[in-house]
Amino acid sequence: EAGVTQSPTHLIKTRGQQATLRCSPISGHTSVYWYQQALGLGLQFLLWYDEGEERNRGNFPPRFSGRQFPNYSSELNVNALELEDSALYLCASSLTLYNEQFFGPGTRLTVL
Amino acid sequence: EDQVTQSPEALRLQEGESSSLNCSYTVSGLRGLFWYRQDPGKGPEFLFTLYSAGEEKEKERLKATLTKKESFLHITAPKPEDSATYLCAVHASNSGYALNFGKGTSLLVT
């Protein structure tokens, strides 16, 4: 069974640009979660999508947004990039709510 | 406010030297506690889920236990390949199904 996949592996942008990150969940999983892992800060919850709808968001500004497609894959968009947005962005999926979440390999975003 | 605290921040063990990692939590209505392993630059790998106090789970050299205030990850006779960061996360009833992570314990086995 294929795991969670993410693309691209690495992304380099300059301040003020926009970044788009993609995630495909494990087959059969309908919930997709996005987390940010910045150096020294641990994993911080960004967004949760389920059945195509945004269900919850963490303490991040509106320039972090995304969507979930009918096939349950998801996209994270970060507008007006700032230097502190440099981090590993992780996507996870789960079969049901309150069950374990399975993570993808992440996208390393570097903002110059 | 929900809090998850892991200790120690870093741990260095000799091969074969058993030890325990701690995860203490303060949450409103624990729905589940999760342990993950993360290698540098990679996504976390799921290890265990614990739902209620007294529950225990085992996998190879790892054993996770849960009380009403904390969880322990016991590592028996570790090998160098067990070197990684171990993350603890909780689901709370008011978390909207997001995981609340601790900052992790970085384990080095030499």
Side-chain angles (χ1 to χ4, degrees):
Chain A
E1 180 181 282
V4 177
T5 60
Q6 292 186 244
S7 64
T9 303
H10 294 93
L11 192 56
I12 299 175
K13 294 285 186 179
T14 56
R15 198 169 51 182
Q17 286 188 314
Q18 179 196 34
T20 298
L21 291 65
R22 297 181 176 83
C23 169
S24 290
I26 292 172
S27 178
H29 288 192
T30 61
S31 278
V32 171
Y33 309 81
W34 288 95
Y35 293 85
Q36 181 195 66
Q37 189 174 33
L39 202 61
L41 290 182
L43 274 86
Q44 304 289 320
F45 167 67
L46 265 167
L47 291 159
W48 166 40
Y49 292 94
D50 184 61
E51 297 288 356
E53 299 284 334
E54 181 182 307
R55 302 295 184 181
N56 196 17
R57 67 182 294 127
N59 189 24
F60 282 85
R63 58 191 186 83
F64 287 84
S65 65
R67 53 180 171 167
Q68 186 178 34
F69 299 99
N71 66 353
Y72 302 112
S73 67
S74 178
E75 193 174 89
L76 174 69
N77 295 294
V78 188
N79 294 318
L81 284 166
E82 301 179 0
L83 297 178
E84 52 264 35
D85 295 334
S86 294
L88 182 66
Y89 287 84
L90 293 159
C91 171
S93 72
S94 66
L95 183 59
T96 61
L97 303 176
Y98 288 134
N99 272 22
E100 52 272 5
Q101 296 177 12
F102 295 92
F103 284 81
T107 293
R108 171 71 63 185
L109 173 64
T110 301
V111 182
L112 303 176
Chain B
E1 183 180 316
D2 296 345
Q3 283 195 329
V4 180
T5 305
Q6 291 189 246
S7 61
E9 288 185 14
L11 181 63
R12 183 172 185 145
L13 299 173
Q14 297 286 334
E15 185 172 357
E17 180 186 1
S18 300
S19 188
S20 296
L21 312 183
N22 177 264
C23 171
S24 63
Y25 60 90
T26 306
V27 297
S28 303
L30 181 71
R31 296 298 184 99
L33 185 141
F34 306 85
W35 282 97
Y36 289 86
R37 168 197 169 123
Q38 186 175 28
D39 292 303
K42 298 189 177 181
E45 174 191 345
F46 170 73
L47 294 173
F48 303 110
T49 306
L50 301 166
Y51 288 109
S52 56
E55 192 174 356
E56 299 182 352
K57 294 274 181 73
E58 280 190 76
K59 179 182 178 180
E60 296 179 353
R61 295 178 293 282
L62 300 176
K63 179 180 177 180
T65 62
L66 181 65
T67 72
K68 288 187 178 180
K69 294 183 178 180
E70 58 191 348
S71 177
F72 292 94
L73 184 66
H74 308 277
I75 303 177
T76 302
K79 298 182 178 181
E81 53 261 42
D82 294 323
S83 298
T85 295
Y86 290 85
L87 300 169
C88 169
V90 299
H91 254 153
S93 58
N94 63 350
S95 69
Y97 306 109
L99 287 173
N100 187 354
F101 279 87
K103 292 193 174 181
T105 293
S106 177
L107 173 64
L108 177 63
V109 182
T110 58

mmCIF file of all heavy atoms in Angstrom, chain B residues 36-79:
data_model
loop_
_atom_site.group_PDB
_atom_site.id
_atom_site.type_symbol
_atom_site.label_atom_id
_atom_site.label_comp_id
_atom_site.label_asym_id
_atom_site.label_seq_id
_atom_site.Cartn_x
_atom_site.Cartn_y
_atom_site.Cartn_z
ATOM 1 N N TYR B 36 5.773 8.747 17.689
ATOM 2 C CA TYR B 36 6.335 8.710 16.352
ATOM 3 C C TYR B 36 7.850 8.719 16.459
ATOM 4 O O TYR B 36 8.423 9.245 17.405
ATOM 5 C CB TYR B 36 5.916 9.940 15.533
ATOM 6 C CG TYR B 36 4.467 9.970 15.116
ATOM 7 C CD1 TYR B 36 3.486 10.478 15.957
ATOM 8 C CD2 TYR B 36 4.086 9.512 13.854
ATOM 9 C CE1 TYR B 36 2.160 10.521 15.561
ATOM 10 C CE2 TYR B 36 2.761 9.548 13.450
ATOM 11 C CZ TYR B 36 1.812 10.054 14.313
ATOM 12 O OH TYR B 36 0.495 10.093 13.917
ATOM 13 N N ARG B 37 8.484 8.206 15.423
ATOM 14 C CA ARG B 37 9.933 8.287 15.271
ATOM 15 C C ARG B 37 10.210 9.143 14.047
ATOM 16 O O ARG B 37 9.562 8.992 13.004
ATOM 17 C CB ARG B 37 10.503 6.873 15.066
ATOM 18 C CG ARG B 37 11.947 6.857 14.619
ATOM 19 C CD ARG B 37 12.364 5.515 14.042
ATOM 20 N NE ARG B 37 13.666 5.659 13.398
ATOM 21 C CZ ARG B 37 14.726 4.932 13.721
ATOM 22 N NH1 ARG B 37 14.648 3.992 14.660
ATOM 23 N NH2 ARG B 37 15.869 5.128 13.106
ATOM 24 N N GLN B 38 11.180 10.073 14.157
ATOM 25 C CA GLN B 38 11.513 10.905 13.006
ATOM 26 C C GLN B 38 13.009 10.918 12.776
ATOM 27 O O GLN B 38 13.788 11.267 13.674
ATOM 28 C CB GLN B 38 11.006 12.348 13.195
ATOM 29 C CG GLN B 38 11.199 13.212 11.960
ATOM 30 C CD GLN B 38 10.598 14.584 12.087
ATOM 31 O OE1 GLN B 38 10.475 15.127 13.172
ATOM 32 N NE2 GLN B 38 10.217 15.180 10.954
ATOM 33 N N ASP B 39 13.416 10.537 11.578
ATOM 34 C CA ASP B 39 14.811 10.631 11.164
ATOM 35 C C ASP B 39 15.028 12.010 10.550
ATOM 36 O O ASP B 39 14.095 12.629 10.034
ATOM 37 C CB ASP B 39 15.134 9.523 10.170
ATOM 38 C CG ASP B 39 15.087 8.143 10.835
ATOM 39 O OD1 ASP B 39 15.820 7.956 11.823
ATOM 40 O OD2 ASP B 39 14.309 7.285 10.392
ATOM 41 N N PRO B 40 16.270 12.513 10.581
ATOM 42 C CA PRO B 40 16.550 13.879 10.105
ATOM 43 C C PRO B 40 16.051 14.129 8.687
ATOM 44 O O PRO B 40 16.317 13.340 7.780
ATOM 45 C CB PRO B 40 18.075 13.965 10.185
ATOM 46 C CG PRO B 40 18.455 12.998 11.256
ATOM 47 C CD PRO B 40 17.481 11.864 11.129
ATOM 48 N N GLY B 41 15.304 15.210 8.506
ATOM 49 C CA GLY B 41 14.832 15.610 7.193
ATOM 50 C C GLY B 41 13.715 14.769 6.621
ATOM 51 O O GLY B 41 13.328 14.943 5.459
ATOM 52 N N LYS B 42 13.147 13.871 7.426
ATOM 53 C CA LYS B 42 12.077 12.989 6.941
ATOM 54 C C LYS B 42 10.803 13.196 7.748
ATOM 55 O O LYS B 42 10.800 13.844 8.782
ATOM 56 C CB LYS B 42 12.525 11.537 7.015
ATOM 57 C CG LYS B 42 13.726 11.220 6.143
ATOM 58 C CD LYS B 42 14.004 9.731 6.084
ATOM 59 C CE LYS B 42 15.158 9.436 5.146
ATOM 60 N NZ LYS B 42 15.445 7.995 5.045
ATOM 61 N N GLY B 43 9.704 12.641 7.235
ATOM 62 C CA GLY B 43 8.452 12.733 7.956
ATOM 63 C C GLY B 43 8.402 11.765 9.121
ATOM 64 O O GLY B 43 9.080 10.743 9.113
ATOM 65 N N PRO B 44 7.615 12.069 10.144
ATOM 66 C CA PRO B 44 7.482 11.169 11.299
ATOM 67 C C PRO B 44 6.893 9.817 10.880
ATOM 68 O O PRO B 44 5.986 9.750 10.057
ATOM 69 C CB PRO B 44 6.518 11.923 12.212
ATOM 70 C CG PRO B 44 6.640 13.357 11.823
ATOM 71 C CD PRO B 44 6.876 13.325 10.343
ATOM 72 N N GLU B 45 7.427 8.760 11.509
ATOM 73 C CA GLU B 45 6.959 7.400 11.262
ATOM 74 C C GLU B 45 6.142 6.950 12.473
ATOM 75 O O GLU B 45 6.625 6.974 13.605
ATOM 76 C CB GLU B 45 8.155 6.467 11.047
ATOM 77 C CG GLU B 45 7.793 4.993 10.933
ATOM 78 C CD GLU B 45 9.036 4.105 10.988
ATOM 79 O OE1 GLU B 45 10.159 4.614 10.836
ATOM 80 O OE2 GLU B 45 8.881 2.894 11.225
ATOM 81 N N PHE B 46 4.912 6.515 12.233
ATOM 82 C CA PHE B 46 4.033 6.114 13.322
ATOM 83 C C PHE B 46 4.561 4.878 14.043
ATOM 84 O O PHE B 46 4.995 3.904 13.405
ATOM 85 C CB PHE B 46 2.628 5.831 12.773
ATOM 86 C CG PHE B 46 1.707 5.188 13.760
ATOM 87 C CD1 PHE B 46 1.189 5.918 14.809
ATOM 88 C CD2 PHE B 46 1.383 3.842 13.653
ATOM 89 C CE1 PHE B 46 0.355 5.319 15.736
ATOM 90 C CE2 PHE B 46 0.549 3.236 14.570
ATOM 91 C CZ PHE B 46 0.045 3.974 15.617
ATOM 92 N N LEU B 47 4.512 4.930 15.391
ATOM 93 C CA LEU B 47 4.925 3.796 16.206
ATOM 94 C C LEU B 47 3.748 3.181 16.966
ATOM 95 O O LEU B 47 3.439 2.013 16.798
ATOM 96 C CB LEU B 47 6.011 4.213 17.207
ATOM 97 C CG LEU B 47 7.361 4.635 16.642
ATOM 98 C CD1 LEU B 47 8.254 5.175 17.753
ATOM 99 C CD2 LEU B 47 8.029 3.461 15.929
ATOM 100 N N PHE B 48 3.116 3.982 17.851
ATOM 101 C CA PHE B 48 2.090 3.450 18.745
ATOM 102 C C PHE B 48 0.949 4.441 18.948
ATOM 103 O O PHE B 48 1.152 5.647 18.882
ATOM 104 C CB PHE B 48 2.662 3.161 20.153
ATOM 105 C CG PHE B 48 3.818 2.218 20.187
ATOM 106 C CD1 PHE B 48 5.087 2.672 20.498
ATOM 107 C CD2 PHE B 48 3.631 0.858 19.943
ATOM 108 C CE1 PHE B 48 6.159 1.804 20.551
ATOM 109 C CE2 PHE B 48 4.698 -0.022 20.005
ATOM 110 C CZ PHE B 48 5.965 0.458 20.307
ATOM 111 N N THR B 49 -0.234 3.886 19.255
ATOM 112 C CA THR B 49 -1.356 4.658 19.760
ATOM 113 C C THR B 49 -1.780 4.076 21.102
ATOM 114 O O THR B 49 -1.892 2.854 21.243
ATOM 115 C CB THR B 49 -2.568 4.576 18.813
ATOM 116 O OG1 THR B 49 -2.178 4.961 17.505
ATOM 117 C CG2 THR B 49 -3.677 5.491 19.308
ATOM 118 N N LEU B 50 -1.995 4.954 22.075
ATOM 119 C CA LEU B 50 -2.491 4.546 23.381
ATOM 120 C C LEU B 50 -3.734 5.363 23.687
ATOM 121 O O LEU B 50 -3.755 6.584 23.468
ATOM 122 C CB LEU B 50 -1.427 4.787 24.470
ATOM 123 C CG LEU B 50 -0.097 4.054 24.270
ATOM 124 C CD1 LEU B 50 0.967 4.634 25.189
ATOM 125 C CD2 LEU B 50 -0.274 2.560 24.536
ATOM 126 N N TYR B 51 -4.775 4.721 24.186
ATOM 127 C CA TYR B 51 -6.036 5.424 24.389
ATOM 128 C C TYR B 51 -6.435 5.590 25.847
ATOM 129 O O TYR B 51 -7.163 6.532 26.188
ATOM 130 C CB TYR B 51 -7.172 4.704 23.647
ATOM 131 C CG TYR B 51 -7.103 4.849 22.148
ATOM 132 C CD1 TYR B 51 -6.759 3.772 21.336
ATOM 133 C CD2 TYR B 51 -7.379 6.069 21.540
ATOM 134 C CE1 TYR B 51 -6.692 3.911 19.959
ATOM 135 C CE2 TYR B 51 -7.324 6.212 20.156
ATOM 136 C CZ TYR B 51 -6.973 5.134 19.378
ATOM 137 O OH TYR B 51 -6.910 5.271 18.015
ATOM 138 N N SER B 52 -5.996 4.650 26.715
ATOM 139 C CA SER B 52 -6.464 4.754 28.099
ATOM 140 C C SER B 52 -5.352 4.371 29.071
ATOM 141 O O SER B 52 -4.447 3.584 28.734
ATOM 142 C CB SER B 52 -7.675 3.846 28.310
ATOM 143 O OG SER B 52 -7.384 2.516 27.966
ATOM 144 N N ALA B 53 -5.440 4.931 30.284
ATOM 145 C CA ALA B 53 -4.446 4.675 31.321
ATOM 146 C C ALA B 53 -4.331 3.184 31.583
ATOM 147 O O ALA B 53 -5.345 2.482 31.668
ATOM 148 C CB ALA B 53 -4.814 5.425 32.596
ATOM 149 N N GLY B 54 -3.088 2.720 31.690
ATOM 150 C CA GLY B 54 -2.835 1.306 31.921
ATOM 151 C C GLY B 54 -2.537 0.527 30.653
ATOM 152 O O GLY B 54 -2.068 -0.604 30.693
ATOM 153 N N GLU B 55 -2.793 1.164 29.524
ATOM 154 C CA GLU B 55 -2.566 0.486 28.253
ATOM 155 C C GLU B 55 -1.074 0.420 27.936
ATOM 156 O O GLU B 55 -0.322 1.337 28.259
ATOM 157 C CB GLU B 55 -3.300 1.227 27.131
ATOM 158 C CG GLU B 55 -3.375 0.464 25.827
ATOM 159 C CD GLU B 55 -4.249 1.183 24.803
ATOM 160 O OE1 GLU B 55 -4.843 2.237 25.143
ATOM 161 O OE2 GLU B 55 -4.322 0.701 23.661
ATOM 162 N N GLU B 56 -0.644 -0.665 27.319
ATOM 163 C CA GLU B 56 0.743 -0.854 26.916
ATOM 164 C C GLU B 56 0.776 -1.405 25.499
ATOM 165 O O GLU B 56 -0.085 -2.187 25.113
ATOM 166 C CB GLU B 56 1.476 -1.829 27.846
ATOM 167 C CG GLU B 56 1.557 -1.389 29.291
ATOM 168 C CD GLU B 56 2.332 -2.368 30.152
ATOM 169 O OE1 GLU B 56 2.675 -3.459 29.663
ATOM 170 O OE2 GLU B 56 2.593 -2.035 31.323
ATOM 171 N N LYS B 57 1.797 -0.992 24.720
ATOM 172 C CA LYS B 57 1.994 -1.499 23.360
ATOM 173 C C LYS B 57 3.492 -1.806 23.192
ATOM 174 O O LYS B 57 4.333 -1.074 23.725
ATOM 175 C CB LYS B 57 1.564 -0.471 22.311
ATOM 176 C CG LYS B 57 0.078 -0.158 22.303
ATOM 177 C CD LYS B 57 -0.687 -1.137 21.462
ATOM 178 C CE LYS B 57 -2.177 -0.824 21.435
ATOM 179 N NZ LYS B 57 -2.484 0.370 20.622
ATOM 180 N N GLU B 58 3.806 -2.851 22.442
ATOM 181 C CA GLU B 58 5.207 -3.230 22.231
ATOM 182 C C GLU B 58 5.484 -3.455 20.764
ATOM 183 O O GLU B 58 4.610 -3.924 20.001
ATOM 184 C CB GLU B 58 5.521 -4.534 22.979
ATOM 185 C CG GLU B 58 5.786 -4.377 24.433
ATOM 186 C CD GLU B 58 6.322 -5.660 25.066
ATOM 187 O OE1 GLU B 58 7.510 -5.963 24.865
ATOM 188 O OE2 GLU B 58 5.539 -6.344 25.739
ATOM 189 N N LYS B 59 6.724 -3.122 20.366
ATOM 190 C CA LYS B 59 7.176 -3.372 19.001
ATOM 191 C C LYS B 59 8.687 -3.489 19.035
ATOM 192 O O LYS B 59 9.377 -2.505 19.325
ATOM 193 C CB LYS B 59 6.743 -2.239 18.078
ATOM 194 C CG LYS B 59 7.185 -2.376 16.644
ATOM 195 C CD LYS B 59 6.723 -1.162 15.839
ATOM 196 C CE LYS B 59 7.183 -1.237 14.413
ATOM 197 N NZ LYS B 59 6.741 -0.048 13.626
ATOM 198 N N GLU B 60 9.165 -4.685 18.811
ATOM 199 C CA GLU B 60 10.611 -4.962 18.831
ATOM 200 C C GLU B 60 11.210 -4.487 20.166
ATOM 201 O O GLU B 60 10.814 -4.964 21.227
ATOM 202 C CB GLU B 60 11.287 -4.325 17.626
ATOM 203 C CG GLU B 60 10.805 -4.912 16.301
ATOM 204 C CD GLU B 60 11.461 -4.276 15.093
ATOM 205 O OE1 GLU B 60 12.195 -3.279 15.243
ATOM 206 O OE2 GLU B 60 11.226 -4.781 13.984
ATOM 207 N N ARG B 61 12.132 -3.551 20.136
ATOM 208 C CA ARG B 61 12.809 -3.112 21.359
ATOM 209 C C ARG B 61 12.070 -1.979 22.071
ATOM 210 O O ARG B 61 12.540 -1.464 23.083
ATOM 211 C CB ARG B 61 14.235 -2.657 21.015
ATOM 212 C CG ARG B 61 15.116 -3.788 20.504
ATOM 213 C CD ARG B 61 16.489 -3.288 20.132
ATOM 214 N NE ARG B 61 16.460 -2.399 18.965
ATOM 215 C CZ ARG B 61 16.361 -2.816 17.725
ATOM 216 N NH1 ARG B 61 16.259 -4.120 17.472
ATOM 217 N NH2 ARG B 61 16.348 -1.951 16.721
ATOM 218 N N LEU B 62 10.918 -1.564 21.554
ATOM 219 C CA LEU B 62 10.186 -0.436 22.101
ATOM 220 C C LEU B 62 8.915 -0.892 22.810
ATOM 221 O O LEU B 62 8.215 -1.783 22.340
ATOM 222 C CB LEU B 62 9.801 0.541 20.981
ATOM 223 C CG LEU B 62 10.936 1.156 20.178
ATOM 224 C CD1 LEU B 62 10.374 2.022 19.059
ATOM 225 C CD2 LEU B 62 11.862 1.957 21.063
ATOM 226 N N LYS B 63 8.629 -0.216 23.943
ATOM 227 C CA LYS B 63 7.394 -0.467 24.678
ATOM 228 C C LYS B 63 6.855 0.864 25.171
ATOM 229 O O LYS B 63 7.575 1.617 25.818
ATOM 230 C CB LYS B 63 7.651 -1.393 25.857
ATOM 231 C CG LYS B 63 6.425 -1.689 26.700
ATOM 232 C CD LYS B 63 6.778 -2.622 27.852
ATOM 233 C CE LYS B 63 5.606 -2.877 28.765
ATOM 234 N NZ LYS B 63 5.982 -3.785 29.882
ATOM 235 N N ALA B 64 5.598 1.142 24.864
ATOM 236 C CA ALA B 64 4.965 2.389 25.288
ATOM 237 C C ALA B 64 3.919 2.103 26.347
ATOM 238 O O ALA B 64 3.162 1.132 26.236
ATOM 239 C CB ALA B 64 4.325 3.086 24.095
ATOM 240 N N THR B 65 3.897 2.965 27.380
ATOM 241 C CA THR B 65 2.920 2.834 28.451
ATOM 242 C C THR B 65 2.240 4.171 28.677
ATOM 243 O O THR B 65 2.774 5.231 28.314
ATOM 244 C CB THR B 65 3.586 2.360 29.748
ATOM 245 O OG1 THR B 65 4.552 3.342 30.155
ATOM 246 C CG2 THR B 65 4.284 1.021 29.561
ATOM 247 N N LEU B 66 1.056 4.134 29.292
ATOM 248 C CA LEU B 66 0.281 5.358 29.495
ATOM 249 C C LEU B 66 -0.333 5.390 30.894
ATOM 250 O O LEU B 66 -0.895 4.387 31.361
ATOM 251 C CB LEU B 66 -0.850 5.436 28.459
ATOM 252 C CG LEU B 66 -1.752 6.675 28.517
ATOM 253 C CD1 LEU B 66 -0.967 7.939 28.187
ATOM 254 C CD2 LEU B 66 -2.937 6.514 27.554
ATOM 255 N N THR B 67 -0.182 6.553 31.564
ATOM 256 C CA THR B 67 -0.889 6.809 32.818
ATOM 257 C C THR B 67 -1.793 8.013 32.582
ATOM 258 O O THR B 67 -1.870 8.531 31.467
ATOM 259 C CB THR B 67 0.081 7.109 33.972
ATOM 260 O OG1 THR B 67 0.654 8.424 33.775
ATOM 261 C CG2 THR B 67 1.201 6.080 34.035
ATOM 262 N N LYS B 68 -2.440 8.495 33.626
ATOM 263 C CA LYS B 68 -3.359 9.619 33.457
ATOM 264 C C LYS B 68 -2.646 10.942 33.225
ATOM 265 O O LYS B 68 -3.259 11.918 32.803
ATOM 266 C CB LYS B 68 -4.265 9.735 34.673
ATOM 267 C CG LYS B 68 -5.303 8.624 34.752
ATOM 268 C CD LYS B 68 -6.292 8.856 35.871
ATOM 269 C CE LYS B 68 -7.345 7.748 35.868
ATOM 270 N NZ LYS B 68 -8.335 7.935 36.960
ATOM 271 N N LYS B 69 -1.327 10.975 33.472
ATOM 272 C CA LYS B 69 -0.607 12.240 33.315
ATOM 273 C C LYS B 69 0.585 12.156 32.374
ATOM 274 O O LYS B 69 1.122 13.186 31.974
ATOM 275 C CB LYS B 69 -0.107 12.736 34.681
ATOM 276 C CG LYS B 69 -1.199 13.118 35.644
ATOM 277 C CD LYS B 69 -0.606 13.663 36.930
ATOM 278 C CE LYS B 69 -1.698 14.096 37.903
ATOM 279 N NZ LYS B 69 -1.128 14.635 39.159
ATOM 280 N N GLU B 70 1.036 10.929 32.071
ATOM 281 C CA GLU B 70 2.235 10.819 31.256
ATOM 282 C C GLU B 70 2.317 9.479 30.533
ATOM 283 O O GLU B 70 1.576 8.546 30.852
ATOM 284 C CB GLU B 70 3.482 11.028 32.123
ATOM 285 C CG GLU B 70 3.616 10.061 33.280
ATOM 286 C CD GLU B 70 4.711 10.487 34.255
ATOM 287 O OE1 GLU B 70 5.513 11.379 33.943
ATOM 288 O OE2 GLU B 70 4.758 9.901 35.352
ATOM 289 N N SER B 71 3.221 9.461 29.565
ATOM 290 C CA SER B 71 3.491 8.233 28.839
ATOM 291 C C SER B 71 4.996 8.025 28.819
ATOM 292 O O SER B 71 5.772 8.989 28.826
ATOM 293 C CB SER B 71 2.963 8.329 27.407
ATOM 294 O OG SER B 71 3.286 7.169 26.666
ATOM 295 N N PHE B 72 5.394 6.767 28.808
ATOM 296 C CA PHE B 72 6.804 6.432 28.716
ATOM 297 C C PHE B 72 7.048 5.576 27.480
ATOM 298 O O PHE B 72 6.235 4.721 27.129
ATOM 299 C CB PHE B 72 7.264 5.665 29.960
ATOM 300 C CG PHE B 72 7.265 6.481 31.221
ATOM 301 C CD1 PHE B 72 6.170 6.471 32.066
ATOM 302 C CD2 PHE B 72 8.360 7.262 31.553
ATOM 303 C CE1 PHE B 72 6.165 7.228 33.231
ATOM 304 C CE2 PHE B 72 8.363 8.017 32.714
ATOM 305 C CZ PHE B 72 7.256 8.002 33.555
ATOM 306 N N LEU B 73 8.185 5.832 26.847
ATOM 307 C CA LEU B 73 8.648 4.974 25.765
ATOM 308 C C LEU B 73 9.927 4.306 26.262
ATOM 309 O O LEU B 73 10.945 4.962 26.432
ATOM 310 C CB LEU B 73 8.906 5.780 24.493
ATOM 311 C CG LEU B 73 9.297 4.964 23.266
ATOM 312 C CD1 LEU B 73 8.136 4.071 22.820
ATOM 313 C CD2 LEU B 73 9.713 5.874 22.101
ATOM 314 N N HIS B 74 9.803 3.023 26.544
ATOM 315 C CA HIS B 74 10.940 2.267 27.053
ATOM 316 C C HIS B 74 11.698 1.655 25.886
ATOM 317 O O HIS B 74 11.087 1.038 24.995
ATOM 318 C CB HIS B 74 10.454 1.155 27.996
ATOM 319 C CG HIS B 74 9.549 1.640 29.083
ATOM 320 N ND1 HIS B 74 10.022 2.189 30.251
ATOM 321 C CD2 HIS B 74 8.191 1.661 29.174
ATOM 322 C CE1 HIS B 74 8.984 2.536 31.022
ATOM 323 N NE2 HIS B 74 7.869 2.228 30.392
ATOM 324 N N ILE B 75 13.013 1.820 25.905
ATOM 325 C CA ILE B 75 13.849 1.242 24.844
ATOM 326 C C ILE B 75 14.774 0.218 25.494
ATOM 327 O O ILE B 75 15.618 0.584 26.333
ATOM 328 C CB ILE B 75 14.660 2.339 24.132
ATOM 329 C CG1 ILE B 75 13.712 3.405 23.573
ATOM 330 C CG2 ILE B 75 15.498 1.728 23.025
ATOM 331 C CD1 ILE B 75 14.402 4.566 22.920
ATOM 332 N N THR B 76 14.601 -1.024 25.097
ATOM 333 C CA THR B 76 15.368 -2.125 25.694
ATOM 334 C C THR B 76 16.505 -2.524 24.763
ATOM 335 O O THR B 76 16.290 -2.774 23.574
ATOM 336 C CB THR B 76 14.464 -3.334 25.937
ATOM 337 O OG1 THR B 76 13.384 -2.951 26.795
ATOM 338 C CG2 THR B 76 15.243 -4.479 26.591
ATOM 339 N N ALA B 77 17.715 -2.559 25.320
ATOM 340 C CA ALA B 77 18.919 -2.965 24.573
ATOM 341 C C ALA B 77 18.980 -2.282 23.213
ATOM 342 O O ALA B 77 18.941 -2.955 22.166
ATOM 343 C CB ALA B 77 18.960 -4.484 24.433
ATOM 344 N N PRO B 78 19.034 -0.955 23.191
ATOM 345 C CA PRO B 78 18.994 -0.235 21.906
ATOM 346 C C PRO B 78 20.196 -0.528 21.029
ATOM 347 O O PRO B 78 21.292 -0.873 21.514
ATOM 348 C CB PRO B 78 18.967 1.234 22.341
ATOM 349 C CG PRO B 78 19.616 1.246 23.678
ATOM 350 C CD PRO B 78 19.204 -0.033 24.324
ATOM 351 N N LYS B 79 19.966 -0.346 19.723
ATOM 352 C CA LYS B 79 21.005 -0.500 18.716
ATOM 353 C C LYS B 79 21.217 0.850 18.033
ATOM 354 O O LYS B 79 20.341 1.725 18.087
ATOM 355 C CB LYS B 79 20.587 -1.551 17.680
ATOM 356 C CG LYS B 79 20.389 -2.942 18.270
ATOM 357 C CD LYS B 79 20.022 -3.941 17.190
ATOM 358 C CE LYS B 79 19.883 -5.338 17.785
ATOM 359 N NZ LYS B 79 19.548 -6.347 16.735
#
